[in-house]
């Protein structure tokens, strides 16, 4: 138990962030859907306990486990900069439960032009709301920047999805079965391209201005364009890796399951089973993708411009 709940440090992660396994366990905590059901009284108690800890007035008998759980609840529900409650569908803990129906819609077979546009638009709208709800609010960011990223993501996603669908339908060398199978993978390149487009449009100014660099004590010592390049590259790679299991594995798995006797005899079970497969893929992919790179990286002082 002592290893599971080390001495509490306010604002720090419970797990070692220098290792992939530590980051994975940290983000599994962050996306824990059980925090969606925290009551108002439970939230107030958690916030008060953390305040008492900060002031050095916590009641006797409070364990490290209680303190870590209180911090987990606060971080899951309240925005770290504004301390305002984040709407449930846009919390990180709500990303999988509320995003899975959209993934199911994206992967529905035999889509029309209208349904392709609708699901791509809905997916990017949900992503935009999650990004805005969890934005860094320490520095004011113009709403126009979020709007630009949103429009760019929607346009790129819809354009690629519609373009690929039209190309596949007109490709004479594909037989109907092959065409049907290939179409099920169209959402991946569309979503991946939209994710990268969103990152570039939202954060392109960082490449020119650089991002803040901190010392070991958390004090800002300057800015760095090199650090910005690394940060944007890692973010873009994460946004490409994340959709791979979510949008590639379910079509492969469903193509096999649809040939089984059970689904041939009970075709109505196809959609519910499809939903479960997408949920499992989403739950598997999200924590792994966001754990690949550490949130804080080191950089040589020679790449830092003093403030």
């Amino acid at each position: 138990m002592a290893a599971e709940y080390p001495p509490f440090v306010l604002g720090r992660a419970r797990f070692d962030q220098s290792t992939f396994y530590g980051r994975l366990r940290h983000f599994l905590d962050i996306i824990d859907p059980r925090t969606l059901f925290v009551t108002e009284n439970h939230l107030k108690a958690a916030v008060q306990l953390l305040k008492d800890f900060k002031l050095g007035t916590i009641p006797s008998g409070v364990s490290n486990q209680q303190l870590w759980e209180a911090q987990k609840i606060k971080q899951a529900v309240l925005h770290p900069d504004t301390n305002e409650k984040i709407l449930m569908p846009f919390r990180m803990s709500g990303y999988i439960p509320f995003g899975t129906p959209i993934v199911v819609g994206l992967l529905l077979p035999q889509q029309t032009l209208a349904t392709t546009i609708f699901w791509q638009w809905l997916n990017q709208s949900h992503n935009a709301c999650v990004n805005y709800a969890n934005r860094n609010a320490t520095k004011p960011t113009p709403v126009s920047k979020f709007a630009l990223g949103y429009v760019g993501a929607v346009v790129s996603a819809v354009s690629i999805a519609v373009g690929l669908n039209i190309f596949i339908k007109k490709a004479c060398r594909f037989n109907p079965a092959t065409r049907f199978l290939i179409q099920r993978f169209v959402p991946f390149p569309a979503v991946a391209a939209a994710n990268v487009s969103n990152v570039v449009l939202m954060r392109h100014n960082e490449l020119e201005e650089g991002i803040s660099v901190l010392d070991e004590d958390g004090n800002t010592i300057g800015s760095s364009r090199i650090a910005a390049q690394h940060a944007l590259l890692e973010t873009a790679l994460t946004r490409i890796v994340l959709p791979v299991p979510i949008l590639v594995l379910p079509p492969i798995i469903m193509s096999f399951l649809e040939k089984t006797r059970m689904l041939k005899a009970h075709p109505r079970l196809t959609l519910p089973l499809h939903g479960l497969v997408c949920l499992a893929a989403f739950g598997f992919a999200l924590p792994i993708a966001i754990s690949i790179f550490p949130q804080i990286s080191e950089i040589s002082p020679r790449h830092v411009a003093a403030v």
Side-chain angles (χ1 to χ4, degrees):
M1 185 63 71
E4 284 290 310
Y5 294 96
F8 179 73
V9 181
L10 186 65
R12 296 287 182 88
R14 178 157 66 102
F15 304 102
D16 182 8
Q17 296 301 283
S18 65
T19 67
F20 172 78
Y21 182 63
R23 294 193 296 273
L24 178 63
R25 297 193 67 184
H26 170 70
F27 284 114
L28 285 173
D29 249 5
I30 296 293
I31 66 172
D32 186 350
R34 291 176 297 179
T35 59
L36 294 172
F37 305 101
V38 170
T39 63
E40 189 68 28
N41 289 337
H42 198 174
L43 174 62
K44 289 180 179 178
V47 172
Q48 186 60 50
L49 183 59
L50 294 175
K51 285 182 179 178
D52 292 342
F53 176 85
K54 188 175 183 179
L55 296 173
T57 59
I58 57 172
S60 60
V62 173
S63 65
N64 285 311
Q65 179 178 355
Q66 289 173 295
L67 289 167
W68 285 117
E69 290 294 336
Q71 179 166 272
K72 173 181 174 178
I73 290 170
K74 181 183 177 183
Q75 290 177 339
V77 180
L78 302 181
H79 191 285
D81 301 325
T82 65
N83 278 323
E84 296 178 354
K85 288 182 72 172
I86 301 173
L87 290 176
M88 195 179 292
F90 309 138
R91 298 174 192 169
M92 287 307 299
S93 55
Y95 196 44
I96 292 175
F98 288 94
T100 297
I102 299 175
V103 173
V104 174
L106 284 169
L107 295 174
L108 288 174
Q110 298 179 334
Q111 297 212 25
T112 64
L113 178 63
T115 58
T116 297
I117 294 174
F118 171 77
W119 288 112
Q120 290 292 342
W121 164 80
L122 185 61
N123 181 52
Q124 295 306 322
S125 297
H126 179 242
N127 288 341
C129 290
V130 171
N131 290 338
Y132 184 78
N134 295 277
R135 71 194 183 282
N136 183 340
T138 55
K139 295 166 66 176
T141 303
V143 177
S144 59
K145 182 175 290 187
F146 286 97
L148 178 64
Y150 169 64
V151 171
V154 171
V155 170
S156 58
V158 170
S159 299
I160 292 174
V162 171
L164 285 176
N165 273 323
I166 293 174
F167 170 76
I168 293 167
K169 287 179 180 179
K170 291 184 176 181
C172 300
R173 62 179 177 276
F174 298 136
N175 60 51
T178 303
R179 187 180 292 115
F180 175 76
L181 180 62
I182 294 175
Q183 281 181 316
R184 301 182 77 158
F185 293 96
V186 165
F188 168 66
V191 170
N195 289 347
V196 174
S197 172
N198 180 272
V199 171
V200 173
L201 291 172
M202 284 285 295
R203 301 175 59 178
H204 69 90
N205 62 312
E206 295 179 7
L207 296 174
E208 299 177 359
E209 301 173 5
I211 59 176
S212 298
V213 178
L214 312 177
D215 61 16
E216 293 181 352
D217 299 319
N219 302 312
T220 302
I221 60 173
S223 62
S224 171
R225 294 180 181 178
I226 300 296
Q229 292 173 12
H230 284 297
L232 261 66
L233 178 60
E234 290 179 356
T235 302
L237 288 174
T238 300
R239 299 289 181 89
I240 294 173
V241 170
L242 177 58
V244 174
I246 300 173
L247 299 176
V248 174
L249 286 181
I252 295 174
I253 294 172
M254 289 306 299
S255 66
F256 285 104
L257 293 179
E258 287 167 359
K259 297 175 184 177
T260 61
R261 292 181 180 179
M262 183 185 71
L263 287 188
K264 285 183 178 180
H266 306 282
R268 292 183 179 181
L269 295 177
T270 301
L271 186 59
L273 187 59
H274 189 193
L276 289 175
V277 170
C278 290
L279 178 62
F282 208 160
F284 166 78
L286 180 60
I288 290 179
I290 57 181
S291 302
I292 295 175
F293 301 109
Q295 290 185 298
I296 300 177
S297 301
E298 296 181 356
I299 189 171
S300 171
R302 61 191 178 90
H303 295 311
V304 180
V307 291

Short mmCIF file of all heavy atoms in Angstrom, two decimals, residues 53-98:
data_model
loop_
_atom_site.label_atom_id
_atom_site.label_comp_id
_atom_site.label_asym_id
_atom_site.label_seq_id
_atom_site.Cartn_x
_atom_site.Cartn_y
_atom_site.Cartn_z
N PHE A 53 -4.64 20.64 3.58
CA PHE A 53 -3.26 20.15 3.46
C PHE A 53 -2.31 21.31 3.15
O PHE A 53 -1.22 21.40 3.72
CB PHE A 53 -3.18 19.09 2.37
CG PHE A 53 -1.78 18.60 2.11
CD1 PHE A 53 -1.24 17.57 2.88
CD2 PHE A 53 -0.98 19.17 1.12
CE1 PHE A 53 0.06 17.11 2.66
CE2 PHE A 53 0.32 18.72 0.90
CZ PHE A 53 0.84 17.69 1.67
N LYS A 54 -2.73 22.18 2.25
CA LYS A 54 -1.89 23.31 1.86
C LYS A 54 -1.63 24.24 3.04
O LYS A 54 -0.54 24.80 3.18
CB LYS A 54 -2.55 24.08 0.71
CG LYS A 54 -1.68 25.16 0.10
CD LYS A 54 -2.36 25.78 -1.12
CE LYS A 54 -1.45 26.82 -1.77
NZ LYS A 54 -2.09 27.42 -2.97
N LEU A 55 -2.64 24.39 3.90
CA LEU A 55 -2.52 25.27 5.07
C LEU A 55 -1.91 24.56 6.27
O LEU A 55 -1.66 25.19 7.30
CB LEU A 55 -3.90 25.82 5.44
CG LEU A 55 -4.58 26.72 4.39
CD1 LEU A 55 -6.00 27.04 4.81
CD2 LEU A 55 -3.78 28.00 4.19
N GLY A 56 -1.71 23.25 6.13
CA GLY A 56 -1.15 22.49 7.23
C GLY A 56 -2.13 22.22 8.35
O GLY A 56 -1.73 22.06 9.51
N THR A 57 -3.42 22.17 8.00
CA THR A 57 -4.46 21.99 9.03
C THR A 57 -5.29 20.73 8.79
O THR A 57 -6.45 20.68 9.19
CB THR A 57 -5.39 23.21 9.07
OG1 THR A 57 -6.00 23.38 7.77
CG2 THR A 57 -4.63 24.47 9.44
N ILE A 58 -4.73 19.73 8.12
CA ILE A 58 -5.51 18.52 7.86
C ILE A 58 -5.78 17.79 9.17
O ILE A 58 -4.92 17.76 10.06
CB ILE A 58 -4.81 17.58 6.86
CG1 ILE A 58 -3.42 17.18 7.35
CG2 ILE A 58 -4.73 18.19 5.49
CD1 ILE A 58 -2.76 16.12 6.51
N PRO A 59 -6.97 17.19 9.29
CA PRO A 59 -7.30 16.45 10.51
C PRO A 59 -6.37 15.26 10.70
O PRO A 59 -5.82 14.72 9.73
CB PRO A 59 -8.75 15.98 10.27
CG PRO A 59 -9.25 16.85 9.17
CD PRO A 59 -8.07 17.21 8.34
N SER A 60 -6.18 14.86 11.93
CA SER A 60 -5.33 13.71 12.21
C SER A 60 -5.99 12.44 11.66
O SER A 60 -7.22 12.32 11.65
CB SER A 60 -5.11 13.56 13.72
OG SER A 60 -6.34 13.38 14.39
N GLY A 61 -5.17 11.53 11.20
CA GLY A 61 -5.69 10.26 10.70
C GLY A 61 -5.94 10.24 9.21
O GLY A 61 -6.28 9.20 8.65
N VAL A 62 -5.78 11.40 8.52
CA VAL A 62 -5.96 11.43 7.07
C VAL A 62 -4.76 10.75 6.41
O VAL A 62 -3.61 11.09 6.68
CB VAL A 62 -6.09 12.88 6.55
CG1 VAL A 62 -6.11 12.90 5.03
CG2 VAL A 62 -7.35 13.53 7.10
N SER A 63 -5.03 9.78 5.56
CA SER A 63 -3.97 8.99 4.94
C SER A 63 -3.52 9.59 3.62
O SER A 63 -4.20 10.44 3.02
CB SER A 63 -4.45 7.55 4.71
OG SER A 63 -5.50 7.55 3.76
N ASN A 64 -2.34 9.14 3.16
CA ASN A 64 -1.86 9.54 1.84
C ASN A 64 -2.84 9.12 0.76
O ASN A 64 -3.05 9.83 -0.23
CB ASN A 64 -0.49 8.91 1.57
CG ASN A 64 0.62 9.59 2.35
OD1 ASN A 64 0.74 10.81 2.35
ND2 ASN A 64 1.44 8.79 3.03
N GLN A 65 -3.46 7.96 0.93
CA GLN A 65 -4.43 7.48 -0.05
C GLN A 65 -5.59 8.46 -0.18
O GLN A 65 -6.02 8.78 -1.30
CB GLN A 65 -4.97 6.11 0.36
CG GLN A 65 -6.02 5.56 -0.61
CD GLN A 65 -6.51 4.18 -0.24
OE1 GLN A 65 -6.01 3.57 0.71
NE2 GLN A 65 -7.49 3.68 -0.96
N GLN A 66 -6.09 8.95 0.93
CA GLN A 66 -7.21 9.91 0.89
C GLN A 66 -6.79 11.20 0.18
O GLN A 66 -7.59 11.79 -0.56
CB GLN A 66 -7.68 10.21 2.31
CG GLN A 66 -8.42 9.06 2.98
CD GLN A 66 -8.72 9.33 4.44
OE1 GLN A 66 -7.81 9.45 5.26
NE2 GLN A 66 -10.00 9.47 4.76
N LEU A 67 -5.57 11.64 0.42
CA LEU A 67 -5.09 12.87 -0.21
C LEU A 67 -4.91 12.69 -1.71
O LEU A 67 -5.30 13.56 -2.50
CB LEU A 67 -3.77 13.30 0.44
CG LEU A 67 -3.88 13.83 1.87
CD1 LEU A 67 -2.51 13.91 2.52
CD2 LEU A 67 -4.56 15.20 1.87
N TRP A 68 -4.33 11.55 -2.13
CA TRP A 68 -4.16 11.30 -3.56
C TRP A 68 -5.51 11.17 -4.24
O TRP A 68 -5.71 11.67 -5.36
CB TRP A 68 -3.34 10.03 -3.78
CG TRP A 68 -1.87 10.17 -3.54
CD1 TRP A 68 -1.13 9.53 -2.59
CD2 TRP A 68 -0.96 11.02 -4.25
NE1 TRP A 68 0.19 9.92 -2.66
CE2 TRP A 68 0.33 10.82 -3.68
CE3 TRP A 68 -1.09 11.90 -5.31
CZ2 TRP A 68 1.47 11.49 -4.13
CZ3 TRP A 68 0.05 12.57 -5.77
CH2 TRP A 68 1.29 12.37 -5.20
N GLU A 69 -6.47 10.51 -3.59
CA GLU A 69 -7.81 10.36 -4.17
C GLU A 69 -8.51 11.71 -4.28
O GLU A 69 -9.22 11.99 -5.26
CB GLU A 69 -8.65 9.40 -3.33
CG GLU A 69 -8.20 7.94 -3.39
CD GLU A 69 -8.40 7.33 -4.78
OE1 GLU A 69 -9.26 7.83 -5.52
OE2 GLU A 69 -7.68 6.37 -5.10
N ALA A 70 -8.30 12.58 -3.28
CA ALA A 70 -8.91 13.92 -3.33
C ALA A 70 -8.36 14.72 -4.50
O ALA A 70 -9.10 15.41 -5.21
CB ALA A 70 -8.65 14.65 -2.01
N GLN A 71 -7.04 14.63 -4.70
CA GLN A 71 -6.43 15.35 -5.83
C GLN A 71 -6.91 14.80 -7.16
O GLN A 71 -7.16 15.56 -8.11
CB GLN A 71 -4.91 15.27 -5.75
CG GLN A 71 -4.21 15.98 -6.89
CD GLN A 71 -2.73 16.19 -6.64
OE1 GLN A 71 -2.34 17.19 -6.05
NE2 GLN A 71 -1.90 15.26 -7.09
N LYS A 72 -7.07 13.48 -7.25
CA LYS A 72 -7.57 12.85 -8.47
C LYS A 72 -8.96 13.38 -8.81
O LYS A 72 -9.25 13.71 -9.97
CB LYS A 72 -7.60 11.34 -8.29
CG LYS A 72 -8.26 10.58 -9.43
CD LYS A 72 -8.27 9.08 -9.14
CE LYS A 72 -9.06 8.31 -10.19
NZ LYS A 72 -9.03 6.84 -9.95
N ILE A 73 -9.82 13.48 -7.80
CA ILE A 73 -11.19 13.97 -8.02
C ILE A 73 -11.19 15.42 -8.48
O ILE A 73 -11.87 15.79 -9.44
CB ILE A 73 -12.01 13.82 -6.73
CG1 ILE A 73 -12.28 12.33 -6.46
CG2 ILE A 73 -13.32 14.60 -6.82
CD1 ILE A 73 -12.88 12.06 -5.10
N LYS A 74 -10.40 16.25 -7.81
CA LYS A 74 -10.36 17.66 -8.18
C LYS A 74 -9.84 17.85 -9.60
O LYS A 74 -10.40 18.62 -10.39
CB LYS A 74 -9.47 18.44 -7.20
CG LYS A 74 -9.41 19.93 -7.51
CD LYS A 74 -8.47 20.67 -6.59
CE LYS A 74 -8.38 22.14 -6.99
NZ LYS A 74 -7.42 22.89 -6.15
N GLN A 75 -8.76 17.14 -9.94
CA GLN A 75 -8.18 17.27 -11.28
C GLN A 75 -9.12 16.75 -12.36
O GLN A 75 -9.09 17.24 -13.49
CB GLN A 75 -6.85 16.52 -11.34
CG GLN A 75 -5.74 17.18 -10.54
CD GLN A 75 -4.44 16.39 -10.57
OE1 GLN A 75 -4.43 15.20 -10.85
NE2 GLN A 75 -3.33 17.06 -10.27
N ALA A 76 -9.95 15.77 -12.03
CA ALA A 76 -10.87 15.20 -13.01
C ALA A 76 -12.06 16.11 -13.29
O ALA A 76 -12.58 16.11 -14.41
CB ALA A 76 -11.37 13.84 -12.53
N VAL A 77 -12.47 16.89 -12.30
CA VAL A 77 -13.72 17.64 -12.42
C VAL A 77 -13.49 19.13 -12.68
O VAL A 77 -14.22 19.75 -13.45
CB VAL A 77 -14.58 17.46 -11.15
CG1 VAL A 77 -15.88 18.24 -11.25
CG2 VAL A 77 -14.87 15.97 -10.92
N LEU A 78 -12.48 19.72 -12.04
CA LEU A 78 -12.27 21.16 -12.10
C LEU A 78 -11.12 21.52 -13.04
O LEU A 78 -10.11 20.81 -13.09
CB LEU A 78 -11.98 21.72 -10.71
CG LEU A 78 -13.03 21.49 -9.63
CD1 LEU A 78 -12.59 22.13 -8.32
CD2 LEU A 78 -14.38 22.05 -10.07
N HIS A 79 -11.27 22.64 -13.74
CA HIS A 79 -10.18 23.13 -14.59
C HIS A 79 -9.04 23.61 -13.70
O HIS A 79 -9.29 24.36 -12.73
CB HIS A 79 -10.68 24.27 -15.48
CG HIS A 79 -9.72 24.65 -16.56
ND1 HIS A 79 -8.56 25.38 -16.31
CD2 HIS A 79 -9.71 24.40 -17.90
CE1 HIS A 79 -7.91 25.57 -17.43
NE2 HIS A 79 -8.58 24.98 -18.41
N PRO A 80 -7.80 23.22 -13.97
CA PRO A 80 -6.69 23.55 -13.07
C PRO A 80 -6.41 25.05 -12.96
O PRO A 80 -5.86 25.50 -11.95
CB PRO A 80 -5.50 22.81 -13.68
CG PRO A 80 -5.87 22.60 -15.12
CD PRO A 80 -7.35 22.42 -15.12
N ASP A 81 -6.76 25.83 -13.98
CA ASP A 81 -6.45 27.26 -13.97
C ASP A 81 -7.63 28.10 -13.48
O ASP A 81 -7.43 29.09 -12.78
CB ASP A 81 -6.02 27.72 -15.36
CG ASP A 81 -4.79 26.98 -15.86
OD1 ASP A 81 -3.94 26.66 -15.02
OD2 ASP A 81 -4.70 26.71 -17.06
N THR A 82 -8.83 27.72 -13.87
CA THR A 82 -10.01 28.53 -13.52
C THR A 82 -10.77 27.98 -12.31
O THR A 82 -11.59 28.69 -11.73
CB THR A 82 -10.98 28.58 -14.72
OG1 THR A 82 -11.49 27.26 -14.98
CG2 THR A 82 -10.28 29.10 -15.97
N ASN A 83 -10.52 26.73 -11.96
CA ASN A 83 -11.24 26.04 -10.87
C ASN A 83 -12.74 25.95 -11.14
O ASN A 83 -13.53 25.79 -10.19
CB ASN A 83 -11.00 26.73 -9.52
CG ASN A 83 -9.69 26.29 -8.88
OD1 ASN A 83 -9.31 25.12 -8.98
ND2 ASN A 83 -8.99 27.22 -8.26
N GLU A 84 -13.13 26.05 -12.40
CA GLU A 84 -14.53 25.89 -12.77
C GLU A 84 -14.78 24.45 -13.20
O GLU A 84 -13.88 23.79 -13.73
CB GLU A 84 -14.89 26.84 -13.91
CG GLU A 84 -14.80 28.32 -13.52
CD GLU A 84 -15.12 29.23 -14.69
OE1 GLU A 84 -15.30 28.71 -15.82
OE2 GLU A 84 -15.18 30.45 -14.49
N LYS A 85 -15.99 23.97 -12.97
CA LYS A 85 -16.32 22.60 -13.36
C LYS A 85 -16.33 22.46 -14.87
O LYS A 85 -16.87 23.31 -15.58
CB LYS A 85 -17.69 22.19 -12.80
CG LYS A 85 -17.70 21.96 -11.30
CD LYS A 85 -19.08 21.52 -10.81
CE LYS A 85 -19.37 20.10 -11.24
NZ LYS A 85 -20.61 19.57 -10.61
N ILE A 86 -15.71 21.40 -15.36
CA ILE A 86 -15.72 21.10 -16.79
C ILE A 86 -16.94 20.26 -17.09
O ILE A 86 -17.26 19.32 -16.35
CB ILE A 86 -14.44 20.33 -17.19
CG1 ILE A 86 -13.20 21.15 -16.86
CG2 ILE A 86 -14.46 19.98 -18.68
CD1 ILE A 86 -11.90 20.40 -17.07
N LEU A 87 -17.66 20.60 -18.16
CA LEU A 87 -18.85 19.83 -18.52
C LEU A 87 -18.48 18.36 -18.73
O LEU A 87 -17.43 18.04 -19.31
CB LEU A 87 -19.47 20.40 -19.80
CG LEU A 87 -20.13 21.77 -19.69
CD1 LEU A 87 -20.61 22.24 -21.06
CD2 LEU A 87 -21.30 21.73 -18.71
N MET A 88 -19.33 17.48 -18.26
CA MET A 88 -19.03 16.05 -18.24
C MET A 88 -18.56 15.48 -19.58
O MET A 88 -17.57 14.74 -19.63
CB MET A 88 -20.27 15.28 -17.73
CG MET A 88 -19.98 13.85 -17.33
SD MET A 88 -21.46 13.00 -16.72
CE MET A 88 -21.74 13.90 -15.19
N PRO A 89 -19.21 15.78 -20.73
CA PRO A 89 -18.76 15.19 -21.99
C PRO A 89 -17.38 15.65 -22.44
O PRO A 89 -16.76 15.02 -23.29
CB PRO A 89 -19.83 15.65 -23.00
CG PRO A 89 -20.99 16.08 -22.18
CD PRO A 89 -20.41 16.60 -20.92
N PHE A 90 -16.88 16.76 -21.84
CA PHE A 90 -15.62 17.33 -22.31
C PHE A 90 -14.48 17.12 -21.32
O PHE A 90 -13.38 17.62 -21.52
CB PHE A 90 -15.79 18.82 -22.59
CG PHE A 90 -16.97 19.12 -23.49
CD1 PHE A 90 -17.81 20.19 -23.24
CD2 PHE A 90 -17.24 18.30 -24.58
CE1 PHE A 90 -18.90 20.44 -24.07
CE2 PHE A 90 -18.32 18.54 -25.41
CZ PHE A 90 -19.16 19.62 -25.14
N ARG A 91 -14.73 16.38 -20.24
CA ARG A 91 -13.65 16.02 -19.33
C ARG A 91 -12.83 14.90 -19.94
O ARG A 91 -13.33 14.11 -20.75
CB ARG A 91 -14.22 15.54 -17.98
CG ARG A 91 -15.02 16.59 -17.23
CD ARG A 91 -15.65 15.97 -15.99
NE ARG A 91 -16.65 16.86 -15.41
CZ ARG A 91 -17.50 16.51 -14.45
NH1 ARG A 91 -17.46 15.27 -13.96
NH2 ARG A 91 -18.38 17.37 -13.98
N MET A 92 -11.58 14.77 -19.51
CA MET A 92 -10.76 13.67 -20.01
C MET A 92 -11.35 12.33 -19.59
O MET A 92 -11.26 11.35 -20.32
CB MET A 92 -9.32 13.81 -19.49
CG MET A 92 -8.53 14.92 -20.14
SD MET A 92 -8.54 14.84 -21.96
CE MET A 92 -7.77 13.24 -22.24
N SER A 93 -11.98 12.29 -18.42
CA SER A 93 -12.61 11.05 -17.96
C SER A 93 -13.87 10.73 -18.75
O SER A 93 -14.38 9.60 -18.70
CB SER A 93 -12.94 11.14 -16.48
OG SER A 93 -13.73 12.28 -16.20
N GLY A 94 -14.38 11.70 -19.49
CA GLY A 94 -15.57 11.47 -20.31
C GLY A 94 -15.26 11.28 -21.78
O GLY A 94 -16.16 11.05 -22.59
N TYR A 95 -13.96 11.37 -22.13
CA TYR A 95 -13.57 11.31 -23.54
C TYR A 95 -13.93 9.97 -24.17
O TYR A 95 -14.45 9.92 -25.30
CB TYR A 95 -12.07 11.57 -23.65
CG TYR A 95 -11.60 11.90 -25.05
CD1 TYR A 95 -12.32 12.78 -25.86
CD2 TYR A 95 -10.43 11.35 -25.57
CE1 TYR A 95 -11.89 13.10 -27.13
CE2 TYR A 95 -9.99 11.66 -26.84
CZ TYR A 95 -10.72 12.53 -27.62
OH TYR A 95 -10.30 12.84 -28.89
N ILE A 96 -13.68 8.88 -23.44
CA ILE A 96 -13.98 7.55 -24.00
C ILE A 96 -15.48 7.26 -24.01
O ILE A 96 -16.03 6.91 -25.05
CB ILE A 96 -13.21 6.45 -23.24
CG1 ILE A 96 -11.71 6.59 -23.51
CG2 ILE A 96 -13.68 5.06 -23.66
CD1 ILE A 96 -10.85 5.63 -22.72
N PRO A 97 -16.19 7.43 -22.86
CA PRO A 97 -17.63 7.10 -22.90
C PRO A 97 -18.44 7.95 -23.87
O PRO A 97 -19.36 7.45 -24.52
CB PRO A 97 -18.09 7.35 -21.46
CG PRO A 97 -16.94 7.78 -20.68
CD PRO A 97 -15.72 7.75 -21.52
N PHE A 98 -18.09 9.24 -24.00
CA PHE A 98 -18.85 10.10 -24.90
C PHE A 98 -18.30 10.09 -26.32
O PHE A 98 -19.01 10.44 -27.26
CB PHE A 98 -18.87 11.55 -24.37
CG PHE A 98 -19.73 11.73 -23.15
CD1 PHE A 98 -19.18 11.66 -21.88
CD2 PHE A 98 -21.09 11.95 -23.26
CE1 PHE A 98 -19.95 11.82 -20.75
CE2 PHE A 98 -21.89 12.11 -22.15
CZ PHE A 98 -21.32 12.04 -20.88
#
